[in-house]
Amino acid sequence: MVMDYAAIEKDVANLPVTPNMPDYEALCGSWSWDAIRAELARPDGLVNQAYECIDRHALGASRDKDAMIWEATDGSIERYTFEGMRKQSNRFAGVLKGLGVQKADRVFFFADRIPELYFAIFGTLKTGAIAAPLFSAFGPVPVAERVRRADGIGIVTTLRLLPKIEAIRDACPSIKWVMVIDRNGDPVAGQNLDYQQLMAASSDEFAIERTGSEDWSIMHFTSGTTGLPKGAAHVHEAVTGHYATGKYVLDLHPDDIYWCTADPGWVTGTSYGIFAPWSNGVTQVIYEGGFGSAKWFEIIQRHKVTVWYTAPTAIRMLMKAGTAIPQRFDTSSLRYCMSVGEPLNPEGVIWGQEAFGLAFHDNWWQTETGAIMIANYPCLPIRPGSMGKPFPGIEAAIIDDEFHEITEPMREGQLAVKHPWPSMMRTYWNDKERYDSRFKGEWYITGDRAKRDADGYFWFIGRDDDVINTAGHLVGPFEVESALIEHPAVAEAGVIGKPDPVAMEIVKAFVSLKDGYEPTEALRRELIGHARARLGPGVAPREIDFLPTLPKTRSGKIMRRLLKARELGLPEGDTSTLED
Ligand code: PRX
């Protein structure tokens, strides 16, 4: 990571609003998670993320405040108050109860960013069941794998996405029902449940399940080097971390209009697109559509967004489109911008200043950690290219291969975080062994490599495994290789992340063919089509190369690192285990 960019200094006294954390060192010194819990406390000591985000505000002074300003892709706008969301989520909770859903059952979501998705996730949390949202651009195979992994009991989807669910329904025997949201209000045909009809017959009132801090709440799937994705399971106590980081990293104030561009199919879209903003009682904008450079600035202008949380790939796409676009819009409402999910290059940090006068604040965390662990803050100078400093109450370190802390500045090692903290996952669903393997003593091993400078800023170096980060989404090579091998022409497949100037990495596959198949352009296209239909466009390889045979260890494991080194023209490293 580059360190030759000047630090961006702050004039904290003259920021448009006084940061909730005006002094980083002081807050670190006095930090108490219990004090945070006290800000959220319910008289009876129960914790429920839906209550903290919605009912707590609906039952108080913010009852009629807008919680959600939703903009559809067709430009129409809908607004929902905290009280409106309380009632809608109660109705959905009643619907689930009527279906017999029990505490800790897994309810899956496969839907676009529409208001009903948010009502339904909160409704699920109110019943004590586990909400498991999936990215709507997934193909049927990743959906089925995840549903099976966690024995999902039901799936909430939309009419548009229903065909993908119908394609896998028989392969998911745990699924008892599929519920379809049709925003047009037309009756849902066939054996599927009709969201609108069930909601109309349900009640505005619901007695929230008596969930405690360690009861399950949400599950997100994340990829590893080997095997299929794992379900990182979180508990209601995570809201303590979401609320605290919403207050001190997102710096949310009561009058903010906040916009997080992430999809709730990924953890950023729930921790920071649902729980952090709403536990802090702020109004948030939700845009149904995807990326669009002019469109995004139009949204900032129209809704007077003040705090914006987005991702490096999006920033790099905005950079490509140029500063002339933001300058056509009135972005004067913006006061604070952040980025997460992949390394944000210094040029990206600085581009915000050129384009609309504000630098991007990078921060770091993972599906597993549940909330932001390392961040840049409004009150601290930014060192462009650095992820920032640990959140108060969080101890992060660089450790060596023997799991000893490296104190010497700028020495590379594994990034580790001292366990525990409130938002940490409590297990990988049905895979405790894997969960346990992530810890060494008191350290949680993140799987990333990094270094720390003499002033305590952390600098990301890269991942310590074969997981691919494409446009901020993690893709496990094994999942892609498995889909490729299903094709009759493919003998072996090895999948790597190939560096890309915009998406950071793209998924690239190497395949060897079975006897009788020729490596033609037509077959390459067919394989790409095969993978896209099964996995969805964000997971399928963008490039496929044919090789006569793939490099393997003597025990038959494909050497992805060697494929990558050869692709990039880098030294091949230790090849002593390579088969002859
Ligand atoms: O490799 C790191 C990268 O994304 C991983 C976490 O991805 P995921 O579990 O999908 O969580 C998404 C929520 C952030 C990390 O292990 N990553 C995340 N943030 C950064 C990052 N890499 C560099 N800089 C970051 N700010």
Side-chain angles (χ1 to χ4, degrees):
M1 213 20 109
V2 224
M3 284 194 68
D4 42 4
Y5 284 76
I8 299 172
E9 301 293 337
K10 311 278 184 62
D11 180 4
V12 180
N14 287 313
L15 289 173
V17 298
T18 307
N20 289 325
M21 179 203 299
D23 182 337
Y24 172 77
E25 300 297 338
L27 191 64
C28 289
S30 65
W31 187 258
S32 149
W33 286 112
D34 279 339
I36 295 290
R37 286 187 191 100
E39 292 180 35
L40 294 168
R42 279 169 80 185
D44 45 8
L46 301 175
V47 187
N48 186 286
Q49 287 184 289
Y51 176 88
E52 299 300 345
C53 292
I54 300 299
D55 294 38
R56 195 162 72 89
H57 309 297
L59 301 171
S62 298
R63 179 192 149 96
D64 298 320
K65 178 176 176 174
D66 281 335
M68 181 192 326
I69 303 174
W70 180 70
E71 180 165 330
T73 38
D74 69 8
S76 58
I77 292 167
E78 296 176 13
R79 290 169 181 270
Y80 298 90
T81 62
F82 281 100
E83 175 64 357
M85 293 203 43
R86 185 185 74 85
K87 288 181 175 163
Q88 293 287 338
S89 53
N90 280 348
R91 282 180 174 266
F92 191 79
V95 167
L96 289 189
K97 275 281 166 199
L99 292 171
V101 169
Q102 307 275 327
K103 200 168 170 178
D105 280 347
R106 275 74 62 205
V107 176
F108 277 76
F109 295 87
F110 189 56
D112 300 310
R113 280 188 298 276
I114 52 175
E116 291 76 5
L117 172 64
Y118 298 82
F119 308 152
I121 289 178
F122 281 130
T124 303
L125 296 174
K126 285 183 171 182
T127 67
I130 302 176
L134 300 177
F135 188 40
S136 61
F138 276 159
V141 171
V143 174
E145 272 159 4
R146 286 157 177 79
V147 169
R148 280 203 298 262
R149 183 94 181 184
D151 297 316
I153 187 172
I155 305 183
V156 181
T157 191
T158 55
L159 204 54
R160 185 180 80 81
L161 296 168
L162 182 60
K164 288 198 222 174
I165 299 296
E166 304 220 293
I168 54 138
R169 196 174 169 150
D170 291 346
C172 299
S174 62
I175 290 294
K176 295 191 181 141
W177 48 263
V178 173
M179 193 187 301
V180 182
I181 305 166
D182 179 1
R183 291 210 106 225
N184 296 324
D186 297 330
V188 168
Q191 55 170 342
N192 298 318
L193 303 177
D194 184 332
Y195 172 92
Q196 309 283 6
Q197 215 176 53
L198 290 165
M199 287 289 275
S202 191
S203 161
D204 277 345
E205 298 307 323
F206 181 84
I208 299 180
E209 176 72 29
R210 294 178 62 80
T211 47
S213 54
E214 292 304 307
D215 279 317
W216 300 115
S217 60
I218 197 158
M219 190 183 309
H220 279 286
F221 292 81
T222 185
S223 301
T225 293
T226 55
L228 292 171
K230 308 154 295 214
H234 293 275
V235 293
H236 284 277
E237 163 73 345
V239 75
T240 305
H242 300 144
Y243 171 77
T245 50
K247 181 171 176 180
Y248 295 117
V249 183
L250 276 44
D251 191 40
L252 296 171
H253 286 65
D255 293 335
D256 275 320
I257 305 288
Y258 166 78
W259 183 30
C260 169
T261 57
D263 187 276
W266 305 97
V267 74
T268 308
T270 58
S271 291
Y272 295 97
I274 295 183
F275 302 124
W278 282 327
S279 62
N280 277 275
V282 308
T283 302
Q284 68 164 330
V285 172
I286 290 166
Y287 174 51
E288 182 187 17
F291 178 82
S293 43
K295 185 73 197 178
W296 277 22
F297 289 107
E298 191 186 314
I299 286 172
I300 290 169
Q301 169 178 283
R302 177 159 41 249
H303 302 294
K304 300 192 168 46
V305 171
T306 58
V307 176
W308 186 29
Y309 197 14
T310 188
T313 293
I315 295 169
R316 289 188 287 266
M317 286 176 3
L318 292 172
M319 286 170 75
K320 266 180 95 172
T323 49
I325 295 179
Q327 283 157 7
R328 284 210 317 262
F329 295 89
D330 177 2
T331 55
S332 60
S333 57
L334 274 181
R335 68 170 178 85
Y336 184 48
C337 305
M338 290 155 293
S339 160
V340 75
E342 350 146 32
L344 179 62
N345 33 324
E347 297 80 4
V349 175
I350 292 164
W351 182 79
Q353 282 188 311
E354 280 170 42
F356 46 84
L358 296 168
F360 283 100
H361 291 68
D362 188 17
N363 51 63
W364 179 95
W365 57 292
Q366 303 179 308
T367 304
E368 288 86 345
T369 72
I372 295 168
M373 297 281 106
I374 296 176
N376 285 283
Y377 305 92
C379 68
L380 287 185
I382 301 176
R383 296 192 174 169
S386 161
M387 318 190 280
K389 295 189 179 196
F391 187 69
I394 297 295
E395 200 178 322
I398 306 298
I399 59 173
D400 64 21
D401 292 341
E402 276 74 53
F403 308 108
H404 298 125
E405 190 169 349
I406 300 173
T407 47
E408 192 188 321
M410 295 317 268
R411 243 190 69 201
E412 176 181 336
Q414 305 187 52
L415 178 61
V417 186
K418 196 170 272 183
H419 194 243
W421 58 92
S423 63
M424 177 58 172
M425 66 167 171
R426 297 299 195 262
T427 196
Y428 288 127
W429 200 253
N430 286 337
D431 201 349
K432 180 160 182 320
E433 202 180 315
R434 188 116 189 184
Y435 172 80
D436 290 342
S437 76
R438 300 297 302 264
F439 297 91
K440 282 286 176 278
E442 59 193 351
W443 294 112
Y444 162 69
I445 312 298
T446 67
D448 283 349
R449 297 188 71 77
K451 51 194 177 182
R452 175 172 50 189
D453 69 23
D455 300 312
Y457 281 81
F458 283 75
W459 300 75
F460 181 81
I461 291 175
R463 287 192 63 98
D464 208 15
D465 58 19
D466 292 343
V467 172
I468 300 158
N469 189 331
T470 180
H473 299 155
L474 300 189
V475 173
F478 180 76
E479 199 172 12
V480 182
E481 289 159 1
S482 306
L484 285 168
I485 290 173
E486 278 172 27
H487 190 280
V490 176
E492 324 169 287
V495 167
I496 64 160
K498 175 181 167 182
D500 180 83
V502 175
M504 188 168 116
E505 291 185 314
I506 58 159
V507 179
K508 169 151 193 173
F510 297 86
V511 299
S512 66
L513 297 176
K514 290 188 185 148
D515 286 347
Y517 289 92
E518 291 301 316
T520 61
E521 192 49 40
L523 180 57
R524 187 199 315 274
R525 277 200 303 273
E526 185 181 319
L527 290 178
I528 289 182
H530 161 92
R532 282 176 71 98
R534 276 170 179 67
L535 300 169
V539 182
R542 273 219 244 150
E543 291 181 12
I544 297 184
D545 278 5
F546 296 112
L547 292 177
T549 167
L550 300 189
K552 288 182 286 300
T553 61
R554 273 179 222 114
S555 58
K557 230 175 116 219
I558 289 168
M559 294 177 80
R560 297 185 189 118
R561 274 167 207 256
L562 196 54
L563 285 170
K564 188 159 181 168
R566 288 177 181 170
E567 169 72 22
L568 304 182
L570 297 172
E572 296 195 353
D574 179 7
T575 52
S576 58
T577 60
L578 188 63
E579 71 173 358
D580 296 332

